[in-house]
Amino acid sequence: MYLSSGRRPHRPATPIPGLPARHSARRALWAAAVGLILTALACALPGSDPGQGAELATAVSATLAAATIVAPEGESPDSQPTESAVAPSSSSVPADTQGELSLVYTSGGDAWLLEGEAPARQITSMGGVYQVVISSDGQRIVFARRGRVDLPSEIWGVNRDGSAQSQLVASTRWNELYDPEGFLFNDLAGIDFIPGTHALLLGTQAVPEGPGVFRYDDLLRLDADTGTLTTLLTPGQGGAFTLSPDGGTAAIVRPTSIGLVNSDGTGLRPDLVTFPMVITYSEYQWYPKLTWSPDSRAVGAAIPSADPLAADPSGTVWRVDRESAVATAGPAISGNFFFPQFGAAALAPDLGRVAFARSGATPNTTDLFLANADGSAEGPYVSGDVGWKGWSPDSQHFVFSQDSPADLMLGSPAVASEPLASGHTLQWIGPTEFVLLSGGQGSWTLARGSIGGPLVPLASPTGDFVAFDTTTG
């Protein structure tokens, strides 16, 4: 089964529990890790060998998702940030409504914005931009950049018209939060806008000299208008987060638990779900992919059994009610729930269906299975060299790759699959519409598509890597 990485992500002077105090690897291992990541990315491009990607994915998928080592696509001039007026703080802005598409993306190491039918506009010119996120109202854009590959991230903000560009978090801020002793430095680990606001949640991590991802499992809040950075949950209390659609709650996941917290940091309800740590056979810990229901009333996850390479792997679907904080679990379902979830959650947004894998009848094949969350109505859907890409927002469709990692197929329960498009990263912008990144280094395309409709090219970014985010506010 081909494995791929997808999108949109602590210690105050004391050692991180369970981590060595020192890493003896030389900086050559850092360079080797970069090469390994680039090789894994190359394996995801058209015409590449999917078997090579499968061999490398376990070791580097978490590193790719965390973007701890991303080469800048342009060097930053050695100058101080430009002084600019900072807009007043806005704790709440109108919730997004269905409207024209706003697409922010990286090209040549800078951020670009495309709105509706207007031509795309370059909104930064400093280089080194590797991640972009846009507020749900489309008015504020936040981007992460690196002055050099071996330096921590900076976070910047800019208005949609290019005004009020300012540095929100300096690269030195991460080491001021926690002592990085034993590591190269501390860095950003995941960032996303809280829907309906100009505030973001983010986490941090320690970067070792060799391969690995070591999250502090904290939670911070950043005001994108003023640059105010606030610690909501101290190291060990937070974790990777997934925001509810209404923006009110973040589901917090650690390698052995799932909890809830209000997006302002109040009302922490930790360890509502606990499970054994999943063996990754690599230098990172596994954080489950979470799925919120569209009405924000519940969050769920498909948790794999502890050893994904065991002869009889299984998975359990958990559901957590937001208001009552009551967690319920279905029966164990026989199958592999670990490998399909590198890039996307296996549990559908309605929390009623789940996808998983089993070894095929012939060598080097994988059967993609669907079942209800309680294990009923189980059945195979397709067999071959399959890679899971995720469910549509209305849970009526799902996307997977077959035979080649870029050959995307559209599936639906009880309906045969059909070709969707050629591409790598897909972000849904509605129940039936999506934005798709296709191509490869030097020849990228961002296009808008819909189920049953044509792909409409939107932009042709340049550079080794492309990141993008969307809103329809």
Side-chain angles (χ1 to χ4, degrees), residues 101-182:
L101 172 68
S102 294
L103 168 67
V104 61
Y105 61 94
T106 63
S107 179
D110 279 300
W112 290 65
L113 177 65
L114 186 149
E115 297 178 294
E117 302 297 325
R121 296 182 287 108
Q122 184 174 344
I123 55 174
T124 74
S125 58
M126 63 181 63
V129 177
Y130 70 88
Q131 186 174 4
V132 287
V133 287
I134 186 169
S135 60
S136 56
D137 67 350
Q139 298 301 308
R140 191 70 170 156
I141 295 163
V142 166
F143 57 94
R145 66 174 300 274
R146 298 182 193 276
R148 294 201 319 262
V149 67
D150 58 346
L151 291 178
S153 305
E154 304 167 356
I155 301 180
W156 291 69
V158 62
N159 290 337
R160 55 178 288 275
D161 61 1
S163 65
Q165 179 173 295
S166 60
Q167 187 180 84
L168 302 176
V169 181
S171 62
T172 57
R173 186 73 178 96
W174 314 116
N175 286 356
E176 295 170 355
L177 289 171
Y178 317 122
D179 181 359
E181 182 182 1

Side-chain angles (χ1 to χ4, degrees), residues 50-101:
Q52 294 176 6
E55 294 171 359
L56 292 168
T58 299
V60 302
S61 61
T63 307
L64 284 168
T68 59
I69 309 173
V70 182
E73 300 179 22
E75 288 298 320
S76 169
D78 295 327
S79 60
Q80 297 297 317
T82 303
E83 293 291 335
S84 58
V86 178
S89 175
S90 174
S91 60
S92 179
V93 295
D96 66 323
T97 56
Q98 290 299 315
E100 70 176 18
L101 172 68

Side-chain angles (χ1 to χ4, degrees), residues 273-436:
V273 176
T274 58
F275 48 89
M277 184 175 294
V278 177
I279 303 169
T280 64
Y281 295 93
S282 189
E283 297 294 329
Y284 73 97
Q285 294 178 319
W286 190 74
Y287 288 70
K289 296 283 193 302
L290 304 183
T291 302
W292 276 97
S293 62
D295 60 10
S296 300
R297 292 183 177 179
V299 64
I303 307 296
S305 51
D307 187 353
L309 297 183
D312 56 345
S314 63
T316 302
V317 175
W318 284 87
R319 177 190 175 104
V320 180
D321 182 81
R322 181 170 79 166
E323 182 176 355
S324 68
V326 172
T328 55
I333 302 172
S334 175
N336 200 304
F337 287 72
F338 174 76
F339 292 112
Q341 295 191 90
F342 275 121
L347 184 60
D350 64 6
L351 308 185
R353 293 190 181 97
V354 67
F356 56 96
R358 288 179 185 162
S359 297
T362 58
N364 301 318
T365 62
T366 298
D367 291 337
L368 176 64
F369 273 71
L370 301 177
N372 292 333
D374 62 3
S376 64
E378 171 197 294
Y381 185 80
V382 70
S383 181
D385 184 14
V386 179
W388 178 249
K389 301 293 184 179
W391 292 89
S392 63
D394 62 1
S395 305
Q396 298 303 304
H397 297 87
F398 53 86
V399 178
F400 63 95
S401 64
Q402 189 169 22
D403 299 329
S404 168
D407 290 344
L408 301 185
M409 304 292 293
L410 180 71
S412 181
V415 177
S417 63
E418 59 185 50
L420 178 65
S422 176
H424 308 295
T425 305
L426 182 147
Q427 187 175 127
W428 292 95
I429 57 174
T432 63
E433 289 191 288
F434 56 85
V435 171
L436 177 69

